[in-house]
Amino acid sequence: MSEFVGITTENVIEDLRRADVRPSTARIHVLRYLLTKRNHPTIDCIYQALKPTLPGLSRTSVYNTIGMLSRAGLVRPLSLEGSEMRYDAFTEDHGHFKCESCGEIYDIDVTIPGDAVKDLDGFTVTRRDLFLWGTCPKCTGKKQS
Ligand SMILES: [Zn+2]
Ligand SMILES: [Zn+2]
């Protein structure tokens, strides 16, 4: 998975301010991690990745920070299956592909056809998701060799 290295701490602070969120150290680090990695991590994955840089960090504070960022619309939670929650800071309409072999979740560029759904009179759509499952090119290559 490629890293989006162009995202600076200043960009992240700017995003937080625009969403009316006070840019605390934990919020900056969590959002920057999500924006640069784009790997749809779990809470634990974020915690493990940031612990070396932020020794005072706890799982609970990552959980609370994610909750705050989600309410501010900066992060969207993805529930793919079971109870495992993943988080995404790329909030524009896009779909996801989960590789059943390596577990990696890829972003897919797709316009989700909410308008094509019939019988939505009186319902207001606030979130759209499209999930696909299968085998990613990395894992397909492994099987062939
Ligand atoms: Zn894979
Ligand atoms: Zn995504």
Side-chain angles (χ1 to χ4, degrees):
M1 178 120 303
S2 53
E3 277 196 32
F4 291 71
V5 284
I7 293 153
T8 64
T9 304
E10 286 68 41
N11 295 149
V12 176
I13 293 173
E14 182 84 355
D15 282 352
L16 289 167
R17 291 226 167 96
R18 223 178 298 132
D20 269 328
V21 177
R22 191 176 55 81
S24 70
T25 310
R27 288 167 190 168
I28 294 166
H29 277 83
V30 169
L31 187 56
R32 179 152 200 262
Y33 177 81
L34 284 161
L35 286 168
T36 50
K37 296 284 182 186
R38 293 248 318 244
N39 59 350
H40 310 89
T42 59
I43 295 278
D44 199 57
C45 177
I46 302 169
Y47 170 68
Q48 298 297 344
L50 295 182
K51 202 171 48 162
T53 341
L54 301 171
L57 197 72
S58 67
R59 263 188 196 78
T60 310
S61 56
V62 173
Y63 183 83
N64 292 338
T65 303
I66 284 285
M68 169 77 193
L69 296 174
S70 304
R71 283 191 299 277
L74 291 165
V75 165
R76 81 172 184 174
L78 302 174
S79 56
L80 280 134
E81 65 224 27
S83 56
E84 187 192 54
M85 286 302 282
R86 307 278 205 123
Y87 298 91
D88 197 350
F90 181 49
T91 50
E92 274 162 51
D93 245 12
H94 68 285
H96 292 98
F97 183 100
K98 177 159 181 174
C99 176
E100 292 169 308
S101 181
C102 65
E104 186 133 3
I105 297 171
Y106 296 87
D107 284 328
I108 45 179
D109 192 4
V110 63
T111 307
I112 299 162
D115 303 335
V117 180
K118 310 272 189 289
D119 294 333
L120 268 176
D121 279 355
F123 294 87
T124 308
V125 178
T126 51
R127 261 174 69 186
R128 311 160 177 228
D129 271 319
L130 178 77
F131 290 117
L132 302 175
W133 282 264
T135 314
C136 77
K138 263 193 296 188
C139 293
T140 306
K142 250 183 257 161
K143 271 183 210 149
Q144 277 165 354
S145 59

